[in-house]
Amino acid sequence: MLLENRVAIVTGAARGIGEQTVYQFAQEGARVAVVDIDMALAEEVAAAIRAKGGHADAFQCDVSKPPLVEQLVKDVVQKYGQLEILVNNAGICPRIPLDEMTEERFDQLINVNLKSVFFLSRAAGNVMKAQHYGRIVNLSSTGGRTGGIINSTVYSATKAGIISMTKAFARQYAPYNILVNSVAPGAVDTRMMALPEEIKHSVIEDAPFKRLADPAEIAHVITFLSSENASWMTGATVDVNGGTVMV
Ligand code: NAD
């Protein structure tokens, strides 16, 4: 198994890409902290993993709050005694036209999508440094490459910021044998893509394979980057978009 004896934190794991990621991690032998702001849903996911014989516990955390993510890392390490993998997956993508963006919503987007990645990577990284082993995977987006297409100006800027932050952490953590990579999905069939039908249709029409991604297809790449097999990759952003954006 790819992740045997590993302990992983996956944020935003109560549904969508994060949910599929924790299922695959558990299947590959990891003990998983299913982290989400929605504790009821996180509990359901953890229970589903345990029902199949896997190891998982739900943890409630609003990742936009640095003191809470620091406490989360302490709680996970206290429970499992180790921490090798962090997936910064939690994110929000409210579709807000330029003229309707407020300072409050701007700050919320930055805090949930970008500030969280910095503070959680640092807190988890300090544990990984001491172990001289770690894997961090951040969720970017094709929007981070292109600027976004559907009222997602600030969202896309946070996802571009993640690409840059991935490189900066990768360089600083390499001496500690910690790899830091990111994944940039295109349109994935999750709650985040719950758009009006005509917009969804045009996204699908523009895609070479004429469909959205299944969240498990993104989770497969996250699982690889979280494993020992990724040993010669760091600072990379892997485009997982069915060919919609070729860079
Ligand atoms: P989703 O909306 O289905 O799931 C996001 C999860 O994050 C939810 O369970 C939600 O409760 C949780 N969350 C939100 N705010 C939180 C907070 N403050 N603290 C803790 N948890 C919080 O979204 P998804 O499509 O699975 O997206 C997962 C990641 O992939 C996001 O970072 C997203 O930007 C990225 N992504 C998604 C797509 C797509 O098309 N769905 C494309 C590119 C990138």
Side-chain angles (χ1 to χ4, degrees):
M1 287 193 282
L2 278 178
L3 306 179
E4 205 162 13
N5 299 322
R6 301 299 186 201
V7 169
I9 287 178
V10 181
T11 67
R15 63 171 196 247
I17 295 168
E19 179 184 4
Q20 293 306 314
T21 300
V22 291
Y23 291 151
Q24 291 185 20
F25 277 16
Q27 245 174 9
E28 294 296 340
R31 284 176 287 163
V32 193
V34 178
V35 177
D36 209 281
I37 199 166
D38 185 334
M39 186 59 168
L41 220 50
E43 292 274 20
E44 278 180 31
V45 171
I49 290 172
R50 290 194 297 267
K52 286 190 178 161
H55 295 275
D57 293 283
F59 292 81
Q60 184 170 34
C61 182
D62 176 351
V63 296
S64 69
K65 306 274 187 338
L68 299 186
V69 304
E70 280 156 19
Q71 188 59 46
L72 169 72
V73 169
K74 281 187 192 144
D75 292 345
V76 169
V77 172
Q78 192 176 27
K79 182 153 193 89
Y80 303 110
Q82 59 190 81
L83 173 63
E84 288 84 17
I85 300 166
L86 166 66
V87 182
N88 283 305
N89 168 77
I92 52 172
C93 183
R95 307 287 172 169
I96 307 173
L98 280 187
D99 290 335
E100 291 170 28
M101 179 58 74
T102 61
E103 187 179 352
E104 191 188 354
R105 301 207 76 185
F106 186 104
D107 289 347
Q108 189 196 17
L109 265 158
I110 300 284
N111 293 345
V112 176
N113 290 5
L114 190 59
K115 189 161 87 174
S116 64
V117 175
F118 179 89
F119 285 99
L120 195 43
S121 299
R122 190 176 67 179
N126 283 335
V127 178
M128 294 171 185
K129 277 180 181 176
Q131 297 169 167
H132 206 73
Y133 182 92
R135 300 283 186 264
I136 299 176
V137 182
N138 301 321
L139 267 289
S140 179
S141 166
T142 50
R145 301 281 200 194
T146 65
I149 44 171
I150 313 158
N151 290 329
S152 54
T153 310
V154 181
Y155 169 84
S156 300
T158 66
K159 295 298 176 179
I162 284 174
I163 294 173
S164 170
M165 212 180 268
T166 297
K167 295 175 188 173
F169 270 92
R171 201 167 279 116
Q172 292 171 79
Y173 279 2
Y176 304 97
N177 193 30
I178 302 168
L179 311 184
V180 188
N181 291 292
S182 80
V183 172
V188 186
D189 195 6
T190 68
R191 176 100 61 94
M192 196 173 273
M193 273 303 292
L195 295 166
E197 271 316 310
E198 68 275 14
I199 295 178
K200 219 161 150 177
H201 181 74
S202 77
V203 170
I204 290 170
E205 275 308 300
D206 285 346
F209 290 118
K210 307 294 175 211
R211 67 173 177 88
L212 302 177
D214 186 288
E217 294 177 299
I218 313 303
H220 284 304
V221 181
I222 297 171
T223 301
F224 163 72
L225 290 173
S226 302
S227 75
E228 285 186 42
N229 289 347
S231 56
W232 202 232
M233 290 183 72
T234 200
T237 294
V238 183
D239 293 290
V240 193
N241 60 36
T244 47
V245 176
M246 300 186 193
V247 288

